[in-house]
Amino acid sequence: MAYRPYQQITRRKSRLIHVGKVPVGGDSPITVQTMTNTPTEDAAATIAQIRKSELAGVDIVRVSVPTEEATAALAEIVREVNVPIVADVHFHYRRAIEAAQAGAACLRINPGNIGSKARVKEVVQAARDHGCSIRIGVNAGSLEKHLLEKYGEPNPEALVESALWHADHLLQEGFDNFKISVKASDVFLAVAAYQQLAEACDHPLHIGITEAGGRRAGTVKSAIGLGSLLWAGIGDTLRVSLSAEPEEEVSVGWDLLKSLHIRHRGVKVISCPSCARQGFDVIRTVEKLEDRLSHIDQPISLSIIGCVVNGPGEALMTDIGLTGGGAGTHMVYGMGKTSHTVKTEEMVEHIVQLVEARATAMKAAKDAEAAAAAETAQAAE
């Protein structure tokens, strides 16, 4: 998709690694992650939560494995879901080894809290033996003692030094299939650390503002921090950390990427804040449409504008548009052109039908294109 010059983002060059079958870094799409909050030992509950996130469009899911029972359950979890699983390991290096054996696609470790260099070496060997990548997870809340003594407090320099120190441990073992994160709950600290790290290395970066807060405050905080980084071309995979259900983190992550025109999935709603000019209840209409259209995975833009002041202009730039009119009759647009009218009482159902029909047609076209490409490739063999 072509954009105007002021909408272009020049992405930082990074190495390519893989989390299972999902590429991270290089020219691959920026991926959306989340983390489960069910007890991992309860495989059924954890699988159910991951499936909800899959419906929301998640690319990678992280699962905490604090106990031997959790790593035992991980094998079933990996087998029953459709996305790669990152095993989150703290304190006990044996959990990382067990997780690799259970089929984890990636091991998230903070080398500073899993023990000696010898234990890190064992984890690296397990990752190599089982085809796992690694995420070095540095956090402002768990920096090494010697760095806190050196810098006096968590700061960008301390986070970056920790990250590069641990990266060097892996590189000395001949292992470079890893990404790095330097998270903090303070937006300024996290962004500055990522900016410095992006300049200091070419490893893929997992970006996030940790402990961001509840759904509303955490979304705002993450939008400021992650949005700044993504706009600057920094970040290869991300997690929006919210005190909310995992699928909500996924939805916010996608909204961030869609807002910056980085990735497109599902319906992008452009709607006005509403005012006394509105010809229908914009707020309730948008609420209903977002709920009714949450299952759509094709990239479709939809404008919902309450009156004719900005409605026609917005409709010119969306696939489907609705503009409020008088006497309970409203204008529907298709691909930027005036199409037909619809009554208030039929409006929501009608828009849902239009969007679903367009999504079906788009999927059919993509499937046909893929089939034709496969046929051409087979003929060439």
Side-chain angles (χ1 to χ4, degrees):
M1 187 178 292
Y3 296 113
R4 296 166 179 81
Y6 58 82
Q7 295 174 315
Q8 300 292 335
I9 292 176
T10 302
R11 191 169 165 192
R12 163 184 172 268
K13 301 293 184 184
S14 63
R15 306 184 190 189
L16 175 68
I17 71 166
H18 283 81
V19 178
K21 294 182 179 179
V22 175
V24 174
D27 295 324
S28 57
I30 296 172
T31 52
V32 176
Q33 300 194 31
T34 189
M35 186 174 184
T36 57
N37 56 38
T38 51
T40 305
E41 295 85 352
D42 187 343
T46 305
I47 291 166
Q49 195 169 72
I50 293 172
R51 286 176 176 163
K52 287 183 180 179
S53 294
E54 288 177 346
L55 290 174
V58 77
D59 297 300
I60 299 167
V61 174
R62 181 154 51 113
V63 172
S64 183
V65 286
T67 65
E68 191 171 354
E69 291 77 16
T71 54
L74 194 64
E76 180 183 355
I77 294 167
V78 168
R79 187 172 61 248
E80 294 297 324
V81 300
N82 300 305
V83 292
I85 299 299
V86 177
D88 190 71
V89 178
H90 286 282
F91 304 119
H92 207 306
Y93 79 106
R94 287 296 311 172
R95 302 292 84 80
I97 296 170
E98 292 161 4
Q101 295 168 342
C106 179
L107 306 176
R108 188 276 188 188
I109 61 172
N110 183 335
N113 66 21
I114 65 169
S116 66
K117 188 175 179 180
R119 289 182 173 180
V120 173
K121 184 173 183 176
E122 286 191 59
V123 172
V124 169
Q125 188 59 51
R128 182 180 284 118
D129 290 345
H130 296 279
C132 296
S133 57
I134 286 177
R135 170 154 77 94
I136 296 173
V138 175
N139 195 299
S142 57
L143 278 171
E144 292 77 17
K145 183 179 179 181
H146 74 276
L147 291 174
L148 289 175
E149 291 175 350
K150 177 179 179 179
Y151 291 101
E153 65 176 0
N155 63 17
E157 292 74 20
L159 267 67
V160 172
E161 185 171 330
S162 176
L164 296 178
W165 181 54
H166 294 307
D168 187 59
H169 286 173
L170 302 190
L171 293 172
Q172 286 182 28
E173 299 297 330
F175 189 90
D176 63 0
N177 188 27
F178 64 88
K179 55 190 175 182
I180 306 176
S181 64
V182 282
K183 293 187 179 183
S185 59
D186 179 79
V187 172
F188 295 97
L189 174 54
V191 170
Y194 277 113
Q195 289 171 336
Q196 290 186 25
L197 185 60
E199 292 289 332
C201 72
D202 67 349
H203 300 292
L205 301 184
H206 171 100
I207 61 174
I209 307 299
T210 194
E211 288 107 27
R215 181 175 182 178
R216 185 183 65 184
T219 294
V220 172
K221 207 171 176 182
S222 296
I224 294 169
L226 300 188
S228 299
L229 292 169
L230 292 168
W231 200 335
I234 297 171
D236 301 288
T237 182
L238 65 87
R239 179 195 175 189
V240 177
S241 298
L242 303 176
S243 300
E245 294 306 318
E247 63 269 22
E248 295 184 34
E249 294 187 347
V250 178
S251 297
V252 175
W254 273 103
D255 285 340
L256 275 170
L257 295 178
K258 287 192 289 187
S259 295
L260 290 169
H261 299 173
I262 293 173
R263 286 186 72 183
H264 304 274
R265 181 189 187 277
V267 181
K268 179 181 180 180
V269 178
I270 296 167
S271 59
C272 68
S274 79
C275 69
R277 293 190 306 267
Q278 65 182 355
F280 57 87
D281 188 338
V282 173
I283 295 174
R284 304 306 159 239
T285 300
V286 170
E287 287 177 351
K288 291 175 184 176
L289 286 171
E290 286 183 335
D291 179 63
R292 292 284 302 277
L293 298 173
S294 62
H295 65 290
I296 301 293
D297 58 6
Q298 298 299 312
I300 296 172
S301 56
L302 170 66
S303 56
I304 305 295
I305 310 297
C307 75
V308 297
V309 173
N310 293 320
E314 293 291 352
L316 291 175
M317 297 182 284
T318 56
D319 299 321
I320 298 170
L322 175 69
T323 296
T329 301
H330 317 293
M331 183 58 67
V332 178
Y333 299 79
M335 302 307 292
K337 296 181 180 180
T338 302
S339 179
H340 57 276
T341 61
V342 65
K343 293 292 186 180
T344 301
E345 59 272 17
E346 303 166 354
M347 186 173 56
V348 170
E349 193 64 40
H350 184 66
I351 294 298
V352 169
Q353 290 175 1
L354 290 177
V355 172
E356 289 181 336
R358 178 161 178 78
T360 299
M362 291 173 68
K363 185 177 186 307
K366 287 181 181 179
D367 290 346
E369 184 178 345
E375 187 175 337
T376 300
Q378 187 175 12
E381 295 177 357

